[in-house]
């Protein structure tokens, strides 16, 4: 220690200050402080407002030199440094110094960024359902390599030993509420992605979903494949079948891979489009295809079976084949399903 003290005595003031900054943050990291404590200590050291933001959670912490959390609108950052973890930018730290930068500001920010990355890795993301869409897209993108996907999952709060299920959702309900309903007691993250909501969950309980929520559930272990499956399953949802699991589709999933032009040009599907112009006829066709029985369809529609029989006869004339025959029911079911996929 004496030798170290002698060496330090020969350093100039700026170099000595930089070493003290390093020692200051080493002490904080040994004490395993959280983000607010890290911000407060840094603000006291820098003698100005300090800010920390994590992209994955959207959380921002700002502290003043007196140790208080600052909630007022932030002043322009006088200097900033990205927080990186495993070569990926996960946030930003900054100083809000009213005057020119101090001689040790760069050293403070560098060590603060390293400490913030360690805190983020140690404590994980905040327990919120909504997540950064960029991180979620990194998880489900087919263009992501496995290392990047693993880092994104870790930043979202999913451990390497946890299974991740992917759900594609359309609903007027907030995504965070849907995520909480699907997976109330285990890690779950949600984010909007273009026209669809994405939910990443360790378990999926669809019985808790309100009937107005449309959800497609992927089956693959890999999140990118599971996302494609979830999108496909979502296309098969209907008002009467609002939740569809990809693995329950079986061979029907192949219909989603048929080019749209080929579907549009098919005579059976075009005929279903004509039937769909009449709400009662469409409801009758859907009930009959779903139940495979005239009497069960009548029960679903709350009609006498003779009334349903007359409707099916008229629908059969529009379609050009007999719905009461086994082959006719199969054709109608496939045509109706493909028409719904085309209609979106």
């Amino acid at each position: 220690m004496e030798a170290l003290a002698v060496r330090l005595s020969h350093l100039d003031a700026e170099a000595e200050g930089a070493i003290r900054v390093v020692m200051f943050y080493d002490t904080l990291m040994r004490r395993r402080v959280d983000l607010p404590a890290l911000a407060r200590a840094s603000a006291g050291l820098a003698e100005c407002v300090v800010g920390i933001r994590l992209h994955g959670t959207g959380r921002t912490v700002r502290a003043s030199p007196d140790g208080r959390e600052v909630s007022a609108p932030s002043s322009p950052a006088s200097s900033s440094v990205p927080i990186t973890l495993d070569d990926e930018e996960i946030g930003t730290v900054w100083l809000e110094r009213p005057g020119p930068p101090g001689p040790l500001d760069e050293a403070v920010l560098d060590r603060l960024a390293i400490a913030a990355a360690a805190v983020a890795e140690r404590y994980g993301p905040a327990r919120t359902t909504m997540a950064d869409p960029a991180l979620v897209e990194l998880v489900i993108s087919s263009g992501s390599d496995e290392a990047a996907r693993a880092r994104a999952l870790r930043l979202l709060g999913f451990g390497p030993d946890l299974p991740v299920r992917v759900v594609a959702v359309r609903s007027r309900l907030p995504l965070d509420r849907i995520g909480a309903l699907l997976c109330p007691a285990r890690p779950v993250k949600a984010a909007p992605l273009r026209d669809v909501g994405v939910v990443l969950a360790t378990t999926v309980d669809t019985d808790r979903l309100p009937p107005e929520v449309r959800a497609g559930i992927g089956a693959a272990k890999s999140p990118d494949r599971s996302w494609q499956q979830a999108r496909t399953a979502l296309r098969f949802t209907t008002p009467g079948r609002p939740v569809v699991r990809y693995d329950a589709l079986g061979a029907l999933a192949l219909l989603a891979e048929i080019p749209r032009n080929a579907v549009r040009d098919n005579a059976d599907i075009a005929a279903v489009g004509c039937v769909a112009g009449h709400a009662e006829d469409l409801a009758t066709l859907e009930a009959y295809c779903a139940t495979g029985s005239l009497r069960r369809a009548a029960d679903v529609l709350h009609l006498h079976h003779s009334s349903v029989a007359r409707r099916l006869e008229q629908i059969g004339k529009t379609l050009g084949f007999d719905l009461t025959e086994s082959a006719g029911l199969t054709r109608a079911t496939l045509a109706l399903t493909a028409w719904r996929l085309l209609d979106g």
Side-chain angles (χ1 to χ4, degrees):
M1 289 297 294
E2 290 183 5
L4 178 59
V6 171
R7 289 185 181 183
L8 289 176
S9 66
H10 294 296
L11 295 174
D12 59 37
E14 186 172 335
E16 183 180 354
I19 291 176
R20 292 187 184 279
V21 168
V22 172
M23 295 172 64
F24 176 84
Y25 281 102
D26 284 349
T27 300
L28 289 179
M29 293 172 72
R30 283 197 302 271
R31 293 177 179 174
R32 303 175 71 84
V33 298
D34 57 11
L35 284 182
L38 181 62
R40 289 194 300 269
S42 299
L45 175 67
E47 298 183 335
C48 68
V49 172
V50 167
I52 304 173
R53 186 181 190 280
L54 296 181
H55 301 328
T57 62
R59 183 186 183 189
T60 298
V61 178
R62 295 171 63 235
S64 62
D66 60 6
R68 297 181 182 180
E69 186 172 341
V70 181
S71 57
S74 61
S75 303
S78 57
S79 51
S80 63
V81 167
I83 304 170
T84 59
L85 183 63
D86 294 339
D87 298 323
E88 181 177 344
E89 184 176 329
I90 65 168
T92 307
V93 295
W94 67 90
L95 302 181
E96 298 175 21
R97 190 178 298 285
L104 295 177
D105 283 3
E106 184 177 351
V108 169
L109 283 175
D110 285 343
R111 298 304 299 184
L112 174 57
I114 293 171
V119 172
E121 186 172 29
R122 181 183 304 126
Y123 293 108
R127 293 187 177 276
T128 57
T129 299
M130 297 306 294
D132 182 358
L135 279 179
V136 173
E137 188 166 12
L138 192 61
V139 170
I140 63 177
S141 173
S142 58
S144 300
D145 59 64
E146 290 306 313
R149 182 174 290 112
R151 286 195 298 270
L153 283 169
R154 185 179 65 194
L155 290 172
L156 289 169
F158 296 97
D161 57 335
L162 288 177
V164 177
R165 305 291 300 278
V166 183
V167 184
V169 175
R170 278 200 179 97
S171 174
R172 294 182 182 274
L173 293 178
L175 266 179
D176 57 347
R177 181 180 171 190
I178 295 173
L181 290 171
L182 282 170
C183 188
R186 303 191 68 185
V188 58
K189 294 293 177 182
L193 189 62
R194 294 182 286 278
D195 60 330
V196 179
V198 187
V199 178
L200 305 177
T202 48
T203 60
V204 176
D205 181 6
T206 58
D207 293 338
R208 298 166 52 89
L209 290 178
E212 65 269 24
V213 176
R214 300 285 187 92
I217 303 170
K221 292 183 179 180
S222 174
D224 56 330
R225 287 193 58 215
S226 186
W227 166 240
Q228 296 301 322
Q229 293 176 351
R231 286 293 301 267
T232 297
L234 182 64
R235 295 178 61 193
F236 283 86
T237 59
T238 67
R241 192 186 182 191
V243 176
V244 174
R245 296 179 181 270
Y246 182 85
D247 52 3
L249 289 173
L252 286 177
L254 296 174
L255 291 176
E257 300 181 17
I258 301 175
R260 292 178 64 87
N261 288 338
V263 174
R264 190 178 291 110
D265 294 340
N266 183 270
D268 285 359
I269 297 169
V272 168
C274 294
V275 173
H278 305 277
E280 289 185 349
D281 287 347
L282 179 60
T284 301
L285 181 61
E286 288 178 333
Y288 181 64
C289 290
T291 61
S293 164
L294 188 152
R295 291 188 177 274
R296 287 200 296 271
D299 291 339
V300 171
L301 297 168
H302 305 293
L303 295 171
H304 193 273
H305 64 87
S306 61
S307 298
V308 175
R310 285 194 297 271
R311 287 188 186 182
L312 289 177
E313 184 178 359
Q314 288 300 118
I315 294 171
K317 291 178 180 179
T318 302
L319 296 177
F321 52 84
D322 188 353
L323 284 168
T324 61
E325 294 182 354
S326 177
L329 175 60
T330 300
R331 284 179 63 178
T333 302
L334 289 174
L336 178 62
T337 303
W339 175 80
R340 285 207 170 276
L341 293 176
L342 183 65
D343 188 57

